[in-house]
PDB file of all heavy atoms in Angstrom:
ATOM      1  N   VAL A 346       3.403  14.700  19.819  1.00  0.00           N
ATOM      2  CA  VAL A 346       4.098  15.689  18.978  1.00  0.00           C
ATOM      3  C   VAL A 346       5.068  14.949  18.026  1.00  0.00           C
ATOM      4  O   VAL A 346       5.753  14.046  18.443  1.00  0.00           O
ATOM      5  CB  VAL A 346       4.877  16.637  19.779  1.00  0.00           C
ATOM      6  CG1 VAL A 346       5.759  17.632  18.984  1.00  0.00           C
ATOM      7  CG2 VAL A 346       4.007  17.344  20.797  1.00  0.00           C
ATOM      8  N   VAL A 347       5.003  15.190  16.725  1.00  0.00           N
ATOM      9  CA  VAL A 347       5.910  14.631  15.827  1.00  0.00           C
ATOM     10  C   VAL A 347       6.678  15.823  15.063  1.00  0.00           C
ATOM     11  O   VAL A 347       6.120  16.516  14.181  1.00  0.00           O
ATOM     12  CB  VAL A 347       5.253  13.834  14.655  1.00  0.00           C
ATOM     13  CG1 VAL A 347       6.216  13.234  13.727  1.00  0.00           C
ATOM     14  CG2 VAL A 347       4.328  12.773  15.350  1.00  0.00           C
ATOM     15  N   ALA A 348       7.947  16.075  15.613  1.00  0.00           N
ATOM     16  CA  ALA A 348       8.712  17.224  15.024  1.00  0.00           C
ATOM     17  C   ALA A 348       9.449  16.709  13.790  1.00  0.00           C
ATOM     18  O   ALA A 348      10.561  16.229  13.861  1.00  0.00           O
ATOM     19  CB  ALA A 348       9.714  17.675  16.135  1.00  0.00           C
ATOM     20  N   ASN A 349       8.749  16.806  12.691  1.00  0.00           N
ATOM     21  CA  ASN A 349       9.277  16.187  11.467  1.00  0.00           C
ATOM     22  C   ASN A 349       9.834  17.139  10.429  1.00  0.00           C
ATOM     23  O   ASN A 349      10.585  16.684   9.581  1.00  0.00           O
ATOM     24  CB  ASN A 349       8.057  15.340  10.796  1.00  0.00           C
ATOM     25  CG  ASN A 349       8.333  15.026   9.384  1.00  0.00           C
ATOM     26  OD1 ASN A 349       9.072  14.003   9.215  1.00  0.00           O
ATOM     27  ND2 ASN A 349       7.698  15.666   8.466  1.00  0.00           N
ATOM     28  N   ALA A 350       9.450  18.392  10.469  1.00  0.00           N
ATOM     29  CA  ALA A 350       9.910  19.357   9.357  1.00  0.00           C
ATOM     30  C   ALA A 350      11.367  19.381   9.258  1.00  0.00           C
ATOM     31  O   ALA A 350      12.138  19.463  10.257  1.00  0.00           O
ATOM     32  CB  ALA A 350       9.375  20.713   9.565  1.00  0.00           C
ATOM     33  N   GLY A 351      11.918  19.328   7.999  1.00  0.00           N
ATOM     34  CA  GLY A 351      13.337  19.389   7.805  1.00  0.00           C
ATOM     35  C   GLY A 351      13.738  19.502   6.320  1.00  0.00           C
ATOM     36  O   GLY A 351      12.861  19.397   5.492  1.00  0.00           O
ATOM     37  N   ILE A 352      14.949  19.950   6.127  1.00  0.00           N
ATOM     38  CA  ILE A 352      15.450  20.142   4.753  1.00  0.00           C
ATOM     39  C   ILE A 352      16.803  19.488   4.654  1.00  0.00           C
ATOM     40  O   ILE A 352      17.437  19.098   5.605  1.00  0.00           O
ATOM     41  CB  ILE A 352      15.552  21.657   4.374  1.00  0.00           C
ATOM     42  CG1 ILE A 352      16.563  22.429   5.332  1.00  0.00           C
ATOM     43  CG2 ILE A 352      14.154  22.336   4.469  1.00  0.00           C
ATOM     44  CD1 ILE A 352      16.851  23.806   4.891  1.00  0.00           C
ATOM     45  N   CYS A 353      17.290  19.411   3.413  1.00  0.00           N
ATOM     46  CA  CYS A 353      18.566  18.802   3.152  1.00  0.00           C
ATOM     47  C   CYS A 353      19.124  19.367   1.828  1.00  0.00           C
ATOM     48  O   CYS A 353      18.484  19.606   0.906  1.00  0.00           O
ATOM     49  CB  CYS A 353      18.419  17.272   3.068  1.00  0.00           C
ATOM     50  SG  CYS A 353      20.039  16.409   3.027  1.00  0.00           S
ATOM     51  N   SER A 354      20.453  19.556   1.858  1.00  0.00           N
ATOM     52  CA  SER A 354      21.193  19.978   0.693  1.00  0.00           C
ATOM     53  C   SER A 354      22.616  19.293   0.819  1.00  0.00           C
ATOM     54  O   SER A 354      22.975  18.744   1.831  1.00  0.00           O
ATOM     55  CB  SER A 354      21.375  21.517   0.544  1.00  0.00           C
ATOM     56  OG  SER A 354      22.009  22.005   1.755  1.00  0.00           O
ATOM     57  N   ALA A 355      23.364  19.210  -0.300  1.00  0.00           N
ATOM     58  CA  ALA A 355      24.572  18.537  -0.291  1.00  0.00           C
ATOM     59  C   ALA A 355      25.757  19.448  -0.669  1.00  0.00           C
ATOM     60  O   ALA A 355      25.636  20.302  -1.558  1.00  0.00           O
ATOM     61  CB  ALA A 355      24.459  17.401  -1.311  1.00  0.00           C
ATOM     62  N   ASN A 356      26.923  19.157  -0.005  1.00  0.00           N
ATOM     63  CA  ASN A 356      28.135  19.762  -0.382  1.00  0.00           C
ATOM     64  C   ASN A 356      29.229  19.112   0.423  1.00  0.00           C
ATOM     65  O   ASN A 356      28.947  18.530   1.456  1.00  0.00           O
ATOM     66  CB  ASN A 356      28.112  21.263  -0.118  1.00  0.00           C
ATOM     67  CG  ASN A 356      28.742  22.140  -1.168  1.00  0.00           C
ATOM     68  OD1 ASN A 356      29.713  21.623  -1.846  1.00  0.00           O
ATOM     69  ND2 ASN A 356      28.369  23.440  -1.324  1.00  0.00           N
ATOM     70  N   LEU A 357      30.540  19.270  -0.017  1.00  0.00           N
ATOM     71  CA  LEU A 357      31.575  18.857   0.784  1.00  0.00           C
ATOM     72  C   LEU A 357      31.662  19.809   2.011  1.00  0.00           C
ATOM     73  O   LEU A 357      31.374  21.001   1.885  1.00  0.00           O
ATOM     74  CB  LEU A 357      32.907  18.943   0.038  1.00  0.00           C
ATOM     75  CG  LEU A 357      33.054  17.939  -1.055  1.00  0.00           C
ATOM     76  CD1 LEU A 357      34.190  18.270  -2.000  1.00  0.00           C
ATOM     77  CD2 LEU A 357      33.272  16.540  -0.542  1.00  0.00           C
TER      78      LEU A 357
END
Side-chain angles (χ1 to χ4, degrees):
V346 178
V347 183
N349 168 73
I352 62 170
C353 190
S354 58
N356 220 333
L357 292 166

